[in-house]
Amino acid sequence: MRPDRTPLTLLLIGAAILAVGPFAPQWTLFLLTVALAKGLVVLGLMMLLRCGLVSFGQALYYCLGAYAAGMLGRLYEVSGVFTLMLAGMATSAFVAFVLGFLLARYRSIFFGLLSLAISMILYGLLVKTEALGSSDGFNVLPSTLFGWRPADEWVRYSVLAVAAGVAVIAALAVHRYLGTPLGRLAPAIKDNEIRVEYMGASARQAVHVKYVIAAALAGLGGALAATTVGHIDPEMAYWTTSGEFIFITILAGTGSVIAPFLGALIFGIIQTVAFDISPNTWQMVLGASLLAVIVFLPRGLWSLFRRRKAA
Amino acid sequence: MDQLVAVLIDGIIYSAWLFVAAVGLTLIYGVMKIVNVTHGSFYALGAYAAASITGWALAQGMPPSLSYPVLLGSALLVTLVVAPLIERGILRFMYVKDEVVILLITYALFLILEDAIKLVWGVNPYFIAEPYGLLGSFDVMDLTYPYYNLILVGVAIVCGVGLFWMLGHTRAGKLLVAVIHDTEVSRAMGINVERMYLFTFTFGSLLAAIGGAFTAPTVSVVPGLGIEVIVLSFAVVVIGGLGSLPGAALGAVMVGLVRSATIHYLPQVELFVIYLVMAMVLAFRPRGLFSIAEARKI
Amino acid sequence: MHVMKRAIVAVAAAALVPAFAAAQDAPLKIGVVSFLSGAAAGPFGVPARNGAEIMFEMLNAGKVPAPYATKGFGGAPLQMNLVDESGGTTVQVTEFRNMVQRDNVDLIIGYISSGSCLGIAPVAEELKKLTVFFDCGTPRIFEEKSYKYVFRTASTATMDSVGAALYVKDLKKGKIKTIAGLNQNYAWGQDSWKDFEASMKNLTPGVKVATSQMPKLFAGQYNAEISTILGAKADVVHSSFWDGDLEAFILQAGPRGLFKRSTVILTTGETAMYKLADRIPDGVVIGARGPYGPFAPDNELNQWFSKTFQDRYGVPPNYAAYQMAQAILGTKAAWERAQAANGGKRPDTDQVIAAFERLTFISPGGKVEMAIGGGHQAITETAYGVSRKVKGKMTVANVKRYPAEMVNPPDGVKAEDWIANGFKK
C-alpha cells in the first residue's frame, strides 16, 4: 500500500496559492476564490455521489449559507469573515439535519428530485420577500478579518488566502472522514444497501450524516461566495445553479478531495474563456466541453492526475 | 360558483398543455431509464419549426384552416431530423453509463441545442397567431374562451389514449412494455432493444415537439422557451410516478387544477405551489402516485 | 487545447503588460454588456447591441450629427469589448473584473437587469472604473448608497409607473373605481405594481384593487390569470410584462376580449407594438420607458438615429436601442467636456466623472439631466399614448408628455416616500 499523499499535496497547493497570489493579476485571484467557494459545495456533492446520491437541490444550502451571511451583515452589521462562514455553515447544517429525516429515506432519482423541489420552494419564498430585494437580492458588506480591513489592493489576496485556508482544512477533514468506517460505508451503500444493513450498519443514518456534512460544506461555500462576490440573490437557489454544481462534480470526478476544487477552477476558466471568445454561443462551448469530458474522461478530470495502478 | 367553473376550465386547459408537454418524458424514462433534459429542446424546436413553417406557408397564401395539419407536420419534420441524429449519433454509446451521467449528457446536449436554435432562428420572436383566433370563441358565464383551447385538450386526449392503446394493443407496444419491465430478459428473448430505444426516443421527443408546435400560436416563440418546460414537466411526471402513463395524466390534472385554483383564490403562492405539491406527494409517496414496485436485490 | 492556451496567454499578457500612459488618439476600449442569449436578448439585448454597434461605427467615422460630430470620444476612436449579460450575478461580477483587470477596458457601458446593476455597482467602485448603466430600472441603486464611479443615463422605473398612473387618470378623466394588475413575480414586476398602485391611490382617492396577479417569470400560459382579471371587471389593467411574456399575454388576452372590457396599460408595450401590430386593438395604452421610439422628439439627432438604424437592421430602433445610444452619447458629452477642461488633453477618470455629474445633454430621446442620485442618475421626460392603426400601420395617438420633474422624485428623496407623500417637491 502506498502512503497517503493527499494531505501533503493539499498543504503544498495551499502554500503555493499563498506564495504566488501576491504576484498574480487581480482578476485571477477572484476567479480562484470563486472556484474555491464552489469547490466546497462540490466537495459535499462528491461525498454524496460516492454513495450513489445526486442532489439536484444543493443550491438550497449554497443559497442558505449566502443569505445567512448576508443577513448577519444587513441586520447586525457583522462583518467578521469567520463569523459569517460559521453562520452560513451552521444554518445550512441545521436545515439539512431537519430535512435529512425525510430525505435520507430516498435514493436515486427520487432523492435528487425531492431536493430539487425543496430548493425551488426556497427560491420562490426569496423572490416573494421584497424586504430582501426580491429577485434583485442585496449587497453584502465587505468582510473583515477579526476587525481588520486590508488595504484596497490587498483585499482580493486576503479573501483568497482565507478561502484557500478554509478549503484546505475542509478538504483535509473530509479526507479524514472518508477514511473512517462510517466514511468507508459510502461505496457499500452505493453497491447494495441491504448488505450494509445485514452487516449491522444503518444506511439511513450514514446517509443522513453525509447529507448534513455536504450541506454544511455548501453553506460554507455560499457564505464565502457571498463575501467574495459582494452580492446575493435568489438565483443562487435556482435549479440551474444546482445543475452547475453537478456539472462540476462530474467534470471533476470522485477520485480525490482535491478534484472538486480543480473541477471548479477548470469550469470557471472554460466559462470565462467561452464568454470571451464567443459571447453569442458560450452555452454551446460549455455543453461541448462537458460532453467531451464524459466521453473521453469517464472518471473525470481527476483521472488525468492519477497514475495507473499496477494490476 | 361562477369562479369555480372558471377554475375548472382554466385548470383543464392548463392540464392539457402540461400533459402533452410532459408525457414524452415519462415514456422515455419508462423504456430507457433516461431523465431526458433535451425534452425541453424538442419542445422549443417544435415551436420554432411550427411557427416558421406555418408562418411561411400562410405568407405563401395557404388557407389558414390548413395550418393545423401544418403545425403537426412541422413538429414531425423537425423531430425526425434531430431526434434520430442525437440517439444514433451520441446517446446509444452512453447507455452503459450511470443514470445521472446520462442525465448530464442530455443536459450538455440541451445547452448545445439551445445555441443551435439561436443560430438557426436568431433571437427575434416568431408568431403565428392565425390558428388561435381562427375558430372563434365561446362564452361560459361572462368569460370568453377561444375554441383553440379545446384543440389543445383534444390533442392531449388523443396523445394519451393513443399511447395507452398502442402500449396495450399493438405488437410494438407490447414489446415496449416488455422492455420497460426488464431490458435484459427482453434482449434475451430476441427483442431488438436497440431499435426500441431509437423508436422510443424519437416518439417521446415527437410528443414534446407537438406540445411546442400547438403552443406556438398562443405564445411568442423566443429563446429560452424550452427551459421552463423542463422543470415543469419533471414535476408533473414525478408527481405521477416516473415512467407511468396514467401517472403523468393524473399529475398533469393535479398540477393544472391546483395552479388554477391558486391563481383564482390565493395568487400570492402561485410561484411555488407546483413544487409544494411535488414535495408533499413525494413526502408521502416517495416514488410518486403510480409507482412500479421494485424488487429488493440482495 | 487552443482555448486553454488562449487563457494562459491572456493571463501572462495581463500580468506582464504595465498600464501605459495613453496617447491622445490611442483607441478607447469600452466594455459593452447586454443580453445576447436568453429571453431578454430579443426585445432588449440585441437591439441595444445593435444600437451600440451603429453608434461606435458612426462616431468613429465622425458621421453623427451635431453636437456629436467629433470622431470617437474627443478624437480617440472607440473599440468595443462585447460581453453577454447572462449567467447570473456571480458570472457578471467575474466578467466585469475580467474586463477591467484582464482586458484593461477604459470604461464600461451596459446592464439591463436590475440584479446585475445592483451587483456590479459596488465592484465598479472597488475597481475605480467608470461604469454607465444604460437600461436597468430599479431606483434602489442610488437610493441605498452613493457611488462615485457609477452613472445611469436612463430614468428609473419609478417614472414609468408614475407616468402610467398620470396618463390613465387623464385618459379616463379621473373616473376610475377599480384597478387590476398583471405583473411578473420578480423585482421589476413587484416594484412596477407597487409604485403604480400607490400612485393611483394618491391621484384618484378611493380607488380599489380588484386583483393583482403575479405569475412566475416566463410562465407563458396566462389563461387562468386572464380569467380572474376578466372576472374582476376592473376599469384599468396595469401590466409591466415584457418580451415573450408580454407578447403571449397580448395573443391570449385579445381573443378573450380583455382589451374591450378594460383599459389596459402596457408600460413596455413599445417593444411589441410593431411585431404584433395586427393583434393589438386600438386604444391600448402603450409606454416606452421614456421618450423613445414613437415618443421621441422630432429633432435632427432622432431623425438621423432612427433612419440609420432602420436602414441597417430593417426595423425601427426600440427603446433599448435608444437607451444604449443615450448612454454612449452622454458619456461622450462628459468625456469631451472633461477634455476641453483639461486643455484638450485626454482626461483621466476623475475628470470625466467631474464633468459627468449634473451634466445635461441631448440624445435622440431629447434632453437628459443627470439631476438626482447626487448627479449620477438621469431624469428625462416621459410620454404615453394609445395604440391606433393608421392605414394598417401601428402608431400612437393621444400622446401626452410629462416633464421630468413631474414624474421623477427630487434629488435625495426615495421614490417610495415621494409617491407616498403625494409627489411633494
Side-chain angles (χ1 to χ4, degrees):
Chain A
M1 208 172 137
R2 284 190 309 155
D4 182 5
R5 291 220 195 103
T6 308
L8 186 64
T9 319
L10 267 172
L11 289 173
L12 283 178
I13 294 175
I17 291 175
L18 290 185
V20 175
F23 309 102
Q26 290 273 324
W27 64 274
T28 56
L29 302 185
F30 183 77
L31 202 67
L32 194 55
T33 317
V34 171
L36 289 171
K38 289 185 175 167
L40 284 167
V41 188
V42 176
L43 186 63
L45 277 177
M46 184 195 92
M47 283 177 56
L48 291 174
L49 187 60
R50 284 167 60 98
C51 25
L53 293 172
V54 180
S55 163
F56 298 139
Q58 207 64 2
L60 169 74
Y61 299 111
Y62 182 64
C63 184
L64 269 178
Y67 267 76
M71 303 267 287
L72 268 187
R74 197 176 160 95
L75 299 177
Y76 307 108
E77 293 184 10
V78 176
S79 64
V81 67
F82 290 109
T83 320
L84 296 182
M85 286 196 285
L86 275 177
M89 234 170 120
T91 312
S92 291
F94 174 72
V95 174
F97 174 70
V98 176
L99 287 178
F101 288 105
L102 177 67
L103 274 159
R105 296 187 291 145
Y106 290 72
R107 295 294 176 271
S108 74
I109 199 85
F110 302 97
F111 173 81
L113 290 169
L114 185 56
S115 43
L116 171 89
I118 297 170
S119 79
M120 289 303 287
I121 292 174
L122 176 72
Y123 171 78
L125 285 173
L126 287 176
V127 168
K128 291 287 320 173
T129 314
E130 291 183 41
L132 292 179
S134 176
S135 57
D136 282 347
F138 58 91
N139 286 342
V140 178
L141 295 179
S143 47
T144 52
L145 204 58
F146 302 115
W148 168 72
R149 196 185 303 274
D152 279 358
E153 58 272 30
W154 288 97
V155 169
R156 287 299 129 210
Y157 177 70
S158 321
V159 177
L160 174 65
V162 170
V166 169
V168 167
I169 294 169
L172 280 174
V174 170
H175 186 69
R176 269 301 285 270
Y177 171 77
L178 292 180
T180 64
L182 198 58
R184 284 181 193 276
L185 221 47
I189 293 173
K190 184 180 181 179
D191 279 352
N192 194 318
E193 220 168 284
I194 294 164
R195 286 184 205 157
V196 172
E197 304 271 340
Y198 283 177
M199 282 185 342
S202 164
R204 189 186 292 185
Q205 199 181 28
V207 168
H208 198 157
V209 170
K210 282 171 214 292
Y211 186 69
V212 173
I213 298 177
L217 288 168
L220 181 62
L224 190 58
T227 57
T228 310
V229 176
H231 185 83
I232 53 180
D233 53 40
E235 185 102 1
M236 296 180 97
Y238 202 63
W239 70 271
T240 46
T241 309
S242 299
E244 186 182 304
F245 290 135
I246 303 173
F247 188 120
I248 301 174
T249 314
I250 300 295
L251 189 76
T254 55
S256 156
V257 292
I258 305 171
F261 300 99
L262 182 78
L265 182 62
I266 304 271
F267 175 83
I269 292 175
I270 294 177
Q271 195 172 38
T272 180
V273 171
F275 257 77
D276 192 31
I277 59 171
S278 70
N280 291 297
T281 51
W282 60 272
Q283 293 188 85
M284 199 177 244
V285 176
L286 213 58
S289 351
L290 177 62
L291 211 53
V293 169
I294 294 175
V295 172
F296 298 112
L297 297 171
R299 288 173 175 280
L301 287 166
W302 189 249
S303 53
L304 284 176
F305 292 84
R306 187 186 247 167
R307 264 173 256 149
R308 201 171 282 267
K309 275 186 192 151
Chain B
M1 184 59 211
D2 281 19
Q3 205 165 10
L4 204 63
V5 175
V7 169
L8 274 177
I9 298 177
D10 292 331
I12 287 168
I13 295 172
Y14 192 71
S15 305
W17 174 75
L18 271 179
F19 179 74
V20 182
V23 66
L25 197 67
T26 214
L27 179 73
I28 291 180
Y29 184 84
V31 177
M32 304 164 77
K33 299 288 172 291
I34 291 181
V35 178
N36 178 25
V37 182
T38 62
H39 199 72
S41 316
F42 281 99
Y43 178 88
L45 277 171
Y48 267 106
S52 51
I53 295 176
T54 316
W56 175 80
L58 286 170
Q60 300 302 307
M62 179 186 77
S65 55
L66 279 182
S67 45
Y68 306 101
V70 174
L71 290 177
L72 189 66
S74 319
L76 200 62
L77 180 73
V78 75
T79 316
L80 286 184
V81 173
V82 182
L85 196 71
I86 288 180
E87 204 278 338
R88 288 288 89 184
I90 296 164
L91 284 183
R92 73 174 161 133
F93 303 108
M94 306 292 170
Y95 293 138
V96 286
K97 293 185 190 290
D98 253 19
E99 219 169 274
V100 175
V101 175
I102 304 184
L103 186 153
L104 278 177
I105 291 167
T106 62
Y107 178 61
L109 288 169
F110 163 78
L111 288 175
I112 295 172
L113 283 172
E114 193 72 5
D115 273 352
I117 289 175
K118 207 165 70 182
L119 290 176
V120 175
W121 280 282
V123 295
N124 287 320
Y126 283 76
F127 305 103
I128 33 145
E130 283 80 1
Y132 189 51
L134 193 65
L135 301 173
S137 48
F138 61 93
D139 287 353
V140 183
M141 311 295 183
D142 64 342
L143 297 179
T144 310
Y145 291 94
Y147 276 113
Y148 186 83
N149 287 316
L150 296 184
I151 291 203
L152 268 183
V153 177
V155 169
I157 293 174
V158 169
C159 284
V161 173
L163 211 54
F164 207 74
W165 175 80
M166 190 198 77
L167 287 180
H169 298 272
T170 64
R171 189 181 134 78
K174 287 177 179 166
L175 293 181
L176 261 187
V177 173
V179 177
I180 289 174
H181 280 285
D182 200 318
T183 317
E184 282 162 31
V185 172
S186 307
R187 194 173 270 133
M189 302 290 279
I191 298 177
N192 187 343
V193 174
E194 295 286 298
R195 203 198 291 159
M196 284 291 165
Y197 278 9
L198 173 61
F199 170 76
T200 307
F201 187 78
T202 311
F203 193 67
S205 304
L206 175 65
L207 288 167
I210 290 176
F214 278 89
T215 310
T218 67
V219 297
S220 139
V221 182
V222 285
L225 190 71
I227 299 180
E228 291 309 304
V229 175
I230 297 174
V231 181
L232 214 52
S233 28
F234 275 155
V236 167
V237 164
V238 168
I239 289 171
L242 267 168
S244 156
L245 193 59
L250 186 66
V253 171
M254 257 178 85
V255 170
L257 288 178
V258 169
R259 179 175 180 273
S260 164
T262 330
I263 289 170
H264 280 274
Y265 297 113
L266 202 69
Q268 298 88 323
V269 299
E270 189 268 346
L271 194 60
F272 47 85
V273 70
I274 292 173
Y275 301 104
L276 210 58
V277 173
M278 177 172 160
M280 298 291 276
V281 168
L282 283 184
F284 293 105
R285 300 270 311 176
R287 288 166 172 271
L289 295 173
F290 286 71
S291 49
I292 306 157
E294 214 165 83
R296 279 162 61 110
K297 286 177 186 163
I298 299 181
Chain C
M1 287 280 89
H2 174 75
V3 170
M4 280 296 297
K5 213 182 273 171
R6 215 191 129 117
I8 292 164
V9 170
V11 175
L16 294 176
V17 179
F20 55 90
Q24 189 64 43
D25 51 357
L28 273 176
K29 223 170 162 185
I30 300 181
V32 172
V33 190
S34 178
F35 279 106
L36 304 176
S37 55
F44 309 128
V46 169
R49 181 201 65 194
N50 292 348
E53 268 172 6
I54 282 197
M55 292 308 294
F56 274 56
E57 196 185 310
M58 293 293 157
L59 282 173
N60 284 342
K63 285 190 188 157
V64 183
Y68 299 108
T70 45
K71 285 192 179 179
F73 281 9
L78 312 177
Q79 241 179 42
M80 191 190 301
N81 191 332
L82 187 65
V83 171
D84 186 359
E85 200 184 324
S86 311
T89 316
T90 307
V91 169
Q92 284 313 312
V93 169
T94 311
E95 291 309 316
F96 184 91
R97 288 177 184 277
N98 291 349
M99 268 192 290
V100 174
Q101 295 176 328
R102 179 186 69 196
D103 306 332
N104 293 311
V105 298
D106 295 286
L107 61 106
I108 285 147
I109 297 175
Y111 303 106
I112 290 167
S113 138
S114 291
S116 316
C117 286
L118 283 168
I120 292 294
V123 186
E125 208 69 3
E126 180 196 324
L127 301 181
K128 301 187 173 52
K129 189 56 76 179
L130 177 61
T131 302
V132 183
F133 296 149
F134 80 99
D135 174 84
C136 54
T138 180
R140 285 173 55 198
I141 295 171
F142 296 105
E143 282 180 356
E144 291 179 353
K145 262 185 216 168
S146 61
Y147 293 104
K148 181 180 172 198
Y149 294 89
V150 182
F151 290 84
R152 177 164 52 189
T153 51
S155 303
T156 65
T158 308
M159 178 182 86
D160 308 323
S161 296
V162 174
L166 287 167
Y167 186 79
V168 287
K169 187 196 162 204
D170 288 353
L171 187 74
K172 308 274 285 182
K173 308 203 168 49
K175 282 184 213 135
I176 301 172
K177 289 200 182 66
T178 50
I179 54 173
L182 177 68
N183 293 282
Q184 292 142 323
N185 209 337
Y186 81 117
W188 159 260
Q190 292 159 357
D191 291 350
S192 294
W193 171 249
K194 196 178 66 193
D195 289 353
F196 180 76
E197 186 188 343
S199 304
M200 286 306 291
K201 287 193 165 149
N202 236 311
L203 292 168
T204 51
V207 73
K208 293 229 157 37
V209 175
T211 178
S212 162
Q213 289 293 329
M214 294 243 164
K216 184 174 159 342
L217 190 59
F218 308 137
Q221 304 288 322
Y222 302 109
N223 267 318
E225 285 87 354
I226 294 170
S227 293
T228 59
I229 294 171
L230 279 171
K233 300 196 180 68
D235 298 313
V236 169
V237 176
H238 166 272
S239 178
S240 63
F241 267 30
W242 49 269
D243 181 45
D245 288 3
L246 171 64
E247 289 149 5
F249 168 60
I250 294 171
L251 290 173
Q252 292 169 22
R256 302 193 58 186
L258 179 63
F259 297 115
K260 281 187 223 112
R261 195 171 284 194
S262 307
T263 300
V264 179
I265 176 153
L266 306 171
T267 58
T268 74
E270 183 255 355
T271 55
M273 65 182 270
Y274 300 113
K275 288 181 278 188
L276 287 178
D278 49 348
R279 301 287 150 192
I280 301 178
D282 284 1
V284 176
V285 182
I286 292 201
R289 295 207 57 215
Y292 311 116
F295 302 108
D298 190 23
N299 60 28
E300 192 198 355
L301 202 55
N302 179 34
Q303 284 160 6
W304 168 82
F305 180 65
S306 51
K307 182 173 177 343
T308 316
F309 195 98
Q310 170 94 43
D311 289 351
R312 167 82 62 94
Y313 298 107
V315 288
N318 68 10
Y319 77 72
Y322 271 89
Q323 286 175 327
M324 177 57 92
Q326 183 158 306
I328 295 170
L329 291 178
T331 316
K332 177 179 165 75
W335 187 279
E336 289 174 358
R337 189 172 163 205
Q339 185 161 319
N342 196 29
K345 289 199 294 286
R346 171 175 285 204
D348 62 25
T349 303
D350 281 0
Q351 289 165 328
V352 177
I353 287 169
F356 215 152
E357 282 175 354
R358 311 231 168 250
L359 177 74
T360 298
F361 65 96
I362 238 22
S363 92
K367 190 171 77 168
V368 184
E369 297 164 90
M370 305 299 288
I372 60 176
H376 288 244
Q377 167 63 53
I379 59 170
T380 62
E381 62 164 1
T382 193
Y384 276 90
V386 294
S387 58
R388 177 163 305 158
K389 270 197 279 308
V390 180
K391 292 184 196 128
K393 270 189 76 179
M394 186 58 124
T395 61
V396 285
N398 205 358
V399 174
K400 284 212 167 60
R401 315 187 83 85
Y402 300 96
E405 289 73 22
M406 193 173 171
V407 284
N408 288 287
D411 196 10
V413 178
K414 277 194 174 188
E416 213 177 323
D417 304 338
W418 175 65
I419 297 174
N421 294 329
F423 312 108
K424 274 202 206 78
K425 290 285 164 240

